[in-house]
Amino acid sequence: MSTSAATARAERPRLLERITASSSWTVYALLIVVFVGILVMNPSFGEPMSLMAFVKKAAPLIILAIGQYFVIVSGEFDLSVGSLVGAQVVIAARLMDGEDSMTWPVMGIMLLFGLAVGLVNGLVTTLLKVPSFITTLGMMLVLYGAIRLWTGGAPTGALTEGFRQWGRGGLFGSPGEFQVPYALLIVVVLGVLAALLMRRPYGRTLMATGNNDVAAAFSGAPVWWVRTRAFLLSGLMATVAAVLIGGYAGVTAQVGQGLEFVAITAVVLGGVVLGGGRGSVVAAMAGALTLEALFTLFNQLSLPSTIRPAVQGVIIIAAVAYAAVPRRPRRRATAEPPSSAEPSSPVDPPSRPKEPAAT
Amino acid sequence: MRRSRALLAGAATAALMFTAACTTDTPTETAPEGTETTAEETAEAEGSDDSGANSDWFVQADFDRELAQRDIAPEGPADQPWLQAIEPEFVDTSEFASEGGDKVLCFSNASVSNPWRVTGWITMQQQVEVLEAEGVIGEFRVSDAADDDNKQISDIQAFVEAGDCDAIIVSPSTTATLTPAVEAACESGKPVIVFDRGVNTDCMVTFIHPIGGYAYGADGAEFLTENLDEGSTVLALRILPGVDVLENRWAAADKIFSESGLEVVGQEFTGGDAAQIKDIVTQYLQRGPVDGIWMDAGDGSVAAVEAFEDAGQPYPVFMGEDEMSFLRKWQDTEMTAIGAVYSNFQWRTPILAAQMIWNGEEVPSEWVLPQDPIEADELDAYLEENADMPSLHYAKFGGEDLPGYPEAWTDR
Amino acid sequence: MSTAVTTAPPAAGAPPSSVRRRRRLGSTGIVYLALVGILLISVVLVGLRGGNFFSQSTVAYMLTQTSLLGFVAIGQTFVILCRSLDLSVGYVVALCSIVGATTMAGDPNRVWLGVVAALAVAAGVGLVNGLVISRLRVNPFIATLGVGLIIKGYLDTQFKGPAGSVPASFQGFGYTRIGPVPVSTIVMVAVAVLGVVLLTRTRSGYHMFAVGGNVDVARLSGIRTGRSIVLAHVLCSLCAGVAGLLIAARFSTGNALVYSYGLDLDSIAAVVLGGTLLLGGRGSVAGTVGGVAILAVLDTTFNVLDINPFFKDVLRGAIIIAAVALYARRQIDPASSRARFLPGRRAAPSAPTGTSGPATGGASA
């Protein structure tokens, strides 16, 4: 009650402040700056075909960022997604082996496999109380080794055209001309679903769990199941990302390597706080888009390949540092009335941060 | 107040970045001098082609030698390229001759972390099985270092200390770093065989390798130069910086491109990841035409070709490798291409060399195997021969006469 | 303020149970018990193959494998105790191997100069890590990942491959052995002893535990928390610097590609395997050495048994998870670990009411 009144009162005069107060505004600003930079360097990037090519490349990371967001916001990590993406592409190639009729059955198997990995990650983390950093690190090693053990070290088989179209093809028009990539549609659909999910009770419980799992447990949330579902979602998203990456570029032995760190970086760049409980899924997606755009900008600037990691490092530290500092004082302005209205007790914090986060 | 705090943070970041730069900069003041002198000294003193610590990776003498070796007919049986050698200088191995079979053969492998090594490793195991069946080899002991030089040093030490290896084969992970370990192995009195990448010593009985990185890079670069008009653009795709064999390939290509009329629009590191390769090629195509692609290894070459298809651009003149998915794509698209070869059959040679050494037969001290690229007129023959082979298999693997063929390679 | 109040009940509940458990078996005790167990299994397995696990060469192999990861993991222990983490260690090792080797430039008289230069650079990187985390309040994961990327960019641009050379006298650090025991392992144990003394006998050490346990309580009791975090990161990078020197001694040159060995994640795994809580505040250097030893025994056994390298990864991953799950059940009291969890999580929402608003960033970060 008091909360909604407070936010309503604050709504109109502080529109600008609300935009800048949200912890993720830096990512949108950075995204615009990077895009303007690319367009200045190379106006042809604005052409529909170039943009669509960029979308196809960026789609898998955006989807991985969605999955990683669920896990991070619940207060955990998922380091196994890179290995999982690699494993899924290799599984697809080996099981399909170029047989068109196998496309859908194999995609079903991939889905189950992705969910199974997520389930194991989730249960080991929640029920066996292994820190998720270690659980998913171990899972990363297991998947990396197991998939190579299975294929003898290098991927075999081939992906079918029916499988590859999802990452490579599009609607309207023929290959080599302008098309609306399936990847774009998938990203939009999944992004909307994820944003809706975060507004549903599950999303709020997830956020509360990340914020304070003890309090969430006191208020009746099945913390273990909430977190396990986050890992399931991460496994699911990694599977979709694998379909898109495999479709986009085909099979190589290196596919997926290092993606986990890129995905986590993307999510954090989007203003999502590691440790959980804060940040929006749309901003996480924007973080992924920004990171991909940054890679493109480096290319357009003809920056030597070797120096790029250094520039990337400076930018992510600077962006996160900048986002970390001004946020708290500003946030205080919007958050103050509710928290002074009700004295904090172990139970209420989970309900508290939901408001600022959901707006 | 808040604003000033934000500014402060920004300033602090900037300052920190500067400090970071300064701290990491300190070593460079001494580094270049140290590095260059070492490189020159090593290069002059040993005339080795992989002299480790050179800053620009280009040694004219090695470049000239490797390019010349391509035109020299190798000695040895015509149908067994893995036993051929270019201008061999034979050394006497009678000191290692020993009676009896059931030898213990020890192999320190750098890794099986890429498809080329996986294919070669299968071939090697098949060759070992033949000799095991003949009773020559009793035990084949393998340590895989997973690309960790430090572990490989320990692996070699362990073989030396175990003392029961009748021969030690080393496939070094990095040239410079494994030199002390290989020297220690030589001192143990066991015959040491080094293959693929070298080490900065000549203490081993034989060093087996194909012609080399310069020849590999030059094959592709010359092909592009011949098939493209002056002023055409070439994009170079590379895997990693700092790996000697790969740096040599690029050094040779860079040299040839700089003397040709071709314009190199970019050289990019891709990590061999198909998605990266496709993205980078796509971006270059957005900025302007790319007429030729040079790659320092074939991994992901199909993705590069697809980038042209998806952008609706004509196929470039392409340098790939003898890897099956590329060869198949080449046939499908009928583009102008060459499949450079870093002879995969070299994985058989060390096993056979060990047998020769135990028999006291002469072996070349530097065993240079032939290394011929696959050209358009040979393409169909290689595809037909390897029709059952999976993607990421290498056409010149040279294991067709081994008993495990073809299942060992198809069901790896 | 409110933080302190709400933490009280679970914190008060924790000590008795943890004291009781500790009497039964300390966390380090469990680690070494696990080590003995794995050793026994290894001895039996190797024995069944007709080998001798305690042969001089096998023991030497195992101890050599321990040293490199040992240095890095000891350093990592300090930062993890402070509830931080360092993903830049692999890059620091690579950088220091190159700084050491290029400064020495093969001249025996410059050995000490090289050692000092490498350690100075390492300390500098640690200082930057620590300041970015404590002052700019960047999450340690991102801060150290970013610093690592910066070093990677520098290394890749400046050094394409191995650089510098190490005089024979310094190579002894990597190769000399006393019986089956390499000098590097002795140095590693010495560093570990120093670490134990620092953590259990000095004020700085107590402060690290306090900061990792509850940064707000630590601050309220007058600890300069930022300073502890910076110190931990400097120590961590220094240890990585020693590891870099060991690499230089073993390779007789510096090599930038060392950063791809996965030392960052391996060291974190070793620390957690050693019974240190990833959330900070509890753990020990002795446990870490035990964790490193467990990994080394596994590696050696896999090597002696000639296990497929890919199967090694599978086993390693599974064993790490299983071991930590075992600790979680046996030793780490859920109530006490929750208590640690609580303040960090709670700090954020309650921050607006308190005056310590900006300061709590360190806790949730």
Side-chain angles (χ1 to χ4, degrees):
Chain A
M1 282 256 290
S2 64
T3 320
S4 56
T7 31
R9 189 160 30 104
E11 196 100 23
R12 285 184 59 196
R14 291 188 182 163
L15 191 65
L16 186 77
E17 195 138 324
R18 262 190 56 206
I19 294 170
T20 52
S22 117
S23 60
S24 49
W25 76 274
T26 36
V27 74
Y28 297 115
L30 191 60
L31 183 60
I32 292 169
V33 169
V34 173
F35 261 94
V36 169
I38 299 173
L39 284 172
V40 169
M41 292 305 300
N42 175 19
S44 76
F45 183 77
E47 287 169 15
M49 259 189 87
S50 304
L51 277 180
M52 290 305 121
F54 173 73
V55 167
K56 280 192 226 170
K57 168 67 181 14
L61 185 63
I62 299 176
I63 289 172
L64 279 180
I66 298 176
Q68 193 70 246
Y69 167 83
F70 290 124
V71 177
I72 288 184
V73 95
S74 79
E76 306 289 343
F77 278 103
D78 192 348
L79 293 179
S80 66
V81 288
S83 278
L84 179 56
V85 167
Q88 294 276 34
V89 174
V90 173
I91 290 174
R94 169 128 193 205
L95 292 184
M96 283 175 196
D97 205 11
E99 295 265 347
D100 274 316
S101 59
M102 290 296 286
T103 305
W104 288 102
V106 171
M107 279 167 78
I109 293 174
M110 289 169 69
L111 185 68
L112 291 180
F113 184 71
L115 289 175
V117 169
L119 187 69
V120 172
N121 278 338
L123 293 183
V124 170
T125 303
T126 54
L127 296 189
L128 297 184
K129 306 253 184 286
V130 177
S132 55
F133 195 96
I134 297 297
T135 312
T136 56
L137 173 64
M139 182 57 86
M140 171 173 139
L141 286 172
V142 169
L143 286 175
Y144 178 92
I147 214 68
R148 277 163 182 76
L149 200 60
W150 185 52
T151 59
T156 58
L159 299 169
T160 61
E161 280 308 309
F163 179 87
R164 294 210 50 190
Q165 63 167 345
W166 297 109
R168 199 184 170 194
L171 284 176
F172 320 117
S174 57
E177 294 166 13
F178 175 78
Q179 288 180 309
V180 178
Y182 292 119
L184 177 64
L185 305 176
I186 294 172
V187 164
V188 169
V189 168
L190 288 179
V192 168
L193 286 178
L196 288 177
L197 182 64
M198 288 314 289
R199 285 165 179 271
R200 305 269 310 149
Y202 171 69
R204 291 166 183 245
T205 318
L206 188 70
M207 188 77 86
T209 306
N211 208 345
N212 185 335
D213 53 355
V214 177
F218 281 143
S219 64
V223 168
W224 71 274
W225 178 229
V226 169
R227 284 206 167 121
T228 303
R229 272 190 287 173
F231 280 103
L232 281 171
L233 285 168
S234 178
L236 178 70
M237 292 298 168
T239 308
V240 177
V243 171
L244 292 186
I245 286 189
Y248 176 71
V251 206
T252 44
Q254 292 86 350
V255 60
Q257 257 170 39
L259 270 182
E260 59 280 346
F261 284 113
V262 186
I264 293 175
T265 307
V267 170
V268 173
L269 203 58
V272 180
V273 176
L274 285 181
R278 185 165 299 164
S280 86
V281 67
V282 179
M285 293 167 71
L289 198 61
T290 309
L291 209 54
E292 287 287 2
L294 204 58
F295 295 145
T296 303
L297 179 65
F298 289 164
N299 199 309
Q300 304 290 357
L301 289 171
S302 301
L303 217 57
S305 284
T306 50
I307 201 90
R308 288 177 197 177
V311 181
Q312 187 197 341
V314 172
I315 290 175
I316 58 171
I317 292 182
V320 174
Y322 186 73
V325 174
R327 189 174 71 244
R328 270 165 224 290
R330 283 170 201 275
R331 185 164 270 273
R332 188 183 299 172
T334 44
E336 202 149 29
S339 45
S340 57
E342 297 167 43
S344 57
S345 73
V347 193
D348 79 64
S351 64
R352 195 58 46 233
K354 273 193 290 185
E355 267 78 28
T359 47
Chain B
M1 184 43 189
R2 285 163 198 171
R3 237 161 255 285
S4 69
R5 191 177 267 170
L7 277 175
L8 245 170
T13 328
L16 272 173
M17 292 314 132
F18 273 114
T19 0
C22 289
T23 345
T24 45
D25 264 341
T26 7
T28 40
E29 285 166 21
T30 51
E33 297 157 29
T35 335
E36 274 163 25
T37 45
T38 341
E40 278 158 27
E41 277 162 19
T42 346
E44 278 165 19
E46 298 173 11
S48 145
D49 59 333
D50 295 312
S51 56
N54 49 352
S55 49
D56 57 5
W57 296 99
F58 187 79
V59 180
Q60 183 72 43
D62 297 333
F63 176 77
D64 293 340
R65 181 168 43 80
E66 287 194 13
L67 264 58
Q69 281 175 341
R70 296 184 300 174
D71 301 323
I72 298 172
E75 295 175 17
D79 57 339
Q80 292 175 308
W82 50 90
L83 287 177
Q84 296 175 357
I86 295 168
E87 291 187 323
E89 282 175 33
F90 287 96
V91 289
D92 180 40
T93 65
S94 51
E95 58 172 312
F96 301 113
S98 62
E99 292 293 308
D102 283 347
K103 304 275 199 245
V104 179
L105 182 58
C106 299
F107 172 39
S108 165
N109 195 0
S111 74
V112 279
S113 61
N114 64 51
W116 185 85
R117 298 193 75 88
V118 170
T119 307
W121 172 228
I122 298 170
T123 313
M124 182 184 253
Q125 287 169 298
Q126 292 299 315
Q127 180 66 58
V128 168
E129 276 182 26
V130 171
L131 294 191
E132 277 174 344
E134 288 172 10
V136 176
I137 296 176
E139 187 187 349
F140 184 46
R141 209 178 285 165
V142 187
S143 286
D144 186 298
D147 289 319
D148 182 338
D149 300 10
N150 187 41
K151 179 168 184 318
Q152 192 167 18
I153 291 173
S154 297
D155 288 343
I156 297 172
Q157 278 181 323
F159 284 150
V160 171
E161 267 164 45
D164 55 351
C165 296
D166 292 306
I168 300 174
I169 299 175
V170 181
S171 172
S173 130
T174 310
T175 296
T177 54
L178 281 156
T179 306
V182 171
E183 280 172 343
C186 293
E187 281 162 20
S188 73
K190 305 289 181 191
V192 176
I193 301 165
V194 175
F195 81 99
D196 185 20
R197 298 171 197 174
V199 281
N200 293 332
T201 170
D202 53 5
C203 74
M204 54 272 189
V205 179
T206 176
F207 168 32
I208 298 162
H209 64 97
I211 297 174
Y214 291 111
Y216 183 100
D219 282 340
E222 285 171 353
F223 181 79
L224 293 179
T225 317
E226 283 161 19
N227 286 280
L228 286 169
D229 300 328
E230 202 150 305
S232 302
T233 50
V234 172
L235 173 62
L237 297 174
R238 307 177 54 193
I239 296 187
L240 291 173
V243 179
D244 39 20
V245 279
L246 298 179
E247 291 284 353
N248 284 341
R249 293 178 186 184
W250 170 241
D254 196 24
K255 168 91 174 162
I256 289 168
F257 287 139
S258 69
E259 289 168 357
S260 73
L262 300 183
E263 184 202 348
V264 178
V265 286
Q267 53 145 324
E268 301 281 347
F269 292 105
T270 61
D273 178 18
Q276 288 262 18
I277 290 174
K278 191 165 182 181
D279 177 46
I280 284 170
V281 176
T282 306
Q283 287 187 39
Y284 273 92
L285 287 174
Q286 288 166 10
R287 282 195 285 183
V290 174
D291 306 312
I293 297 273
W294 181 94
M295 295 183 86
D296 72 353
D299 308 39
S301 46
V302 175
V305 180
E306 284 177 358
F308 283 84
E309 291 172 355
D310 290 5
Q313 302 265 353
Y315 289 115
V317 176
F318 204 99
M319 175 209 181
E321 202 172 354
D322 61 335
E323 183 265 311
M324 290 313 292
S325 64
F326 170 71
L327 296 182
R328 287 177 183 136
K329 188 78 186 173
W330 178 6
Q331 192 184 40
D332 291 346
T333 58
E334 294 177 347
M335 56 185 178
T336 313
I338 188 169
V341 168
Y342 195 64
S343 312
N344 195 271
F345 53 70
Q346 64 171 310
W347 286 75
R348 282 183 81 169
T349 316
I351 306 294
L352 297 167
Q355 186 188 20
M356 290 165 78
I357 291 169
W358 290 327
N359 289 341
E361 296 168 27
E362 298 188 313
V363 292
S365 62
E366 188 169 354
W367 191 328
V368 183
L369 295 160
Q371 173 184 325
D372 300 312
I374 294 181
E375 295 184 49
D377 54 342
E378 303 162 302
L379 176 63
D380 292 346
Y382 277 105
L383 276 172
E384 201 176 327
E385 214 170 289
N386 293 294
D388 298 332
M389 292 296 152
S391 319
L392 302 173
H393 173 81
Y394 287 76
K396 291 207 174 185
F397 72 113
E400 291 89 344
D401 62 337
L402 290 169
Y405 179 84
E407 290 80 15
W409 288 267
T410 51
D411 317 326
R412 58 192 178 204
Chain C
M1 288 267 280
S2 61
T3 319
V5 176
T6 43
T7 346
S17 63
S18 69
V19 164
R20 178 162 42 83
R21 273 155 200 267
R22 192 162 291 169
R23 259 189 218 130
R24 223 167 63 200
L25 195 53
S27 68
T28 315
I30 294 185
V31 174
Y32 282 92
L33 204 65
L35 175 61
V36 170
I38 289 179
L39 254 178
L40 280 178
I41 296 172
S42 300
V43 169
V44 170
L45 284 178
V46 172
L48 286 178
R49 284 269 309 247
N52 175 12
F53 194 81
F54 290 110
S55 71
Q56 173 137 336
S57 67
T58 313
V59 171
Y61 182 92
M62 190 164 63
L63 292 178
T64 314
Q65 289 303 99
T66 328
S67 321
L68 181 68
L69 186 60
F71 286 120
V72 182
I74 290 169
Q76 193 75 257
T77 312
F78 297 121
V79 288
I80 290 183
L81 274 179
C82 286
R83 200 176 185 154
S84 183
L85 131 142
D86 192 344
L87 293 175
S88 68
V89 282
Y91 300 99
V92 176
V93 172
L95 180 67
C96 290
S97 78
I98 283 193
V99 171
T102 51
T103 311
M104 289 178 202
D107 180 354
N109 299 322
R110 290 167 64 101
V111 165
W112 287 108
L113 194 65
V115 171
V116 170
L119 294 182
V121 168
V125 176
L127 189 66
V128 171
N129 276 336
L131 288 177
V132 169
I133 291 163
S134 65
R135 289 289 150 85
L136 298 182
R137 270 169 244 121
V138 176
N139 183 289
F141 188 98
I142 293 297
T144 55
L145 191 65
V147 168
L149 285 174
I150 294 172
I151 301 174
K152 175 181 157 67
Y154 171 75
L155 287 173
D156 285 353
T157 312
Q158 284 294 321
F159 304 98
K160 296 188 167 41
S165 82
V166 167
S169 57
F170 190 68
Q171 286 182 31
F173 178 42
Y175 286 97
T176 314
R177 286 212 310 253
I178 300 166
V181 186
V183 168
S184 55
T185 309
I186 296 173
V187 177
M188 192 269 283
V189 171
V191 171
V193 170
L194 285 179
V196 171
V197 170
L198 178 88
L199 286 178
T200 56
R201 295 275 181 275
T202 69
R203 185 168 294 175
S204 307
Y206 298 148
H207 288 181
M208 283 184 200
F209 279 103
V211 169
N214 186 329
V215 77
D216 296 311
V217 171
R219 182 177 298 104
L220 290 173
S221 31
I223 295 173
R224 304 178 76 161
T225 53
R227 207 176 262 188
S228 290
I229 290 172
V230 171
L231 177 68
H233 273 279
V234 169
L235 290 174
C236 174
S237 291
L238 276 175
C239 289
V242 178
L245 287 169
L246 174 60
I247 284 280
R250 288 193 43 92
F251 293 2
S252 79
T253 175
N255 190 357
L257 292 180
V258 176
Y259 61 63
S260 62
Y261 292 1
L263 282 171
D264 40 8
L265 294 179
D266 274 0
S267 64
I268 295 173
V271 170
V272 176
L273 211 49
T276 298
L277 281 189
L278 196 56
L279 293 167
R282 184 183 291 181
S284 69
V285 167
T288 297
V289 173
V292 171
I294 290 177
L295 289 179
V297 171
L298 287 177
D299 273 353
T300 311
T301 313
F302 295 158
N303 217 48
V304 174
L305 296 180
D306 201 358
I307 289 177
N308 179 308
F310 302 124
F311 194 47
K312 280 183 209 173
D313 284 320
V314 176
L315 282 177
R316 218 165 183 241
I319 289 172
I320 290 173
I321 296 179
V324 176
L326 198 72
Y327 298 165
R329 288 181 69 84
R330 286 267 309 153
Q331 178 258 330
I332 296 163
D333 190 341
S336 68
S337 77
R338 282 250 181 79
R340 284 177 212 300
F341 226 120
L342 197 62
R345 299 284 178 273
R346 297 247 329 113
S350 60
T353 50
T355 45
S356 58
T360 45
S364 59

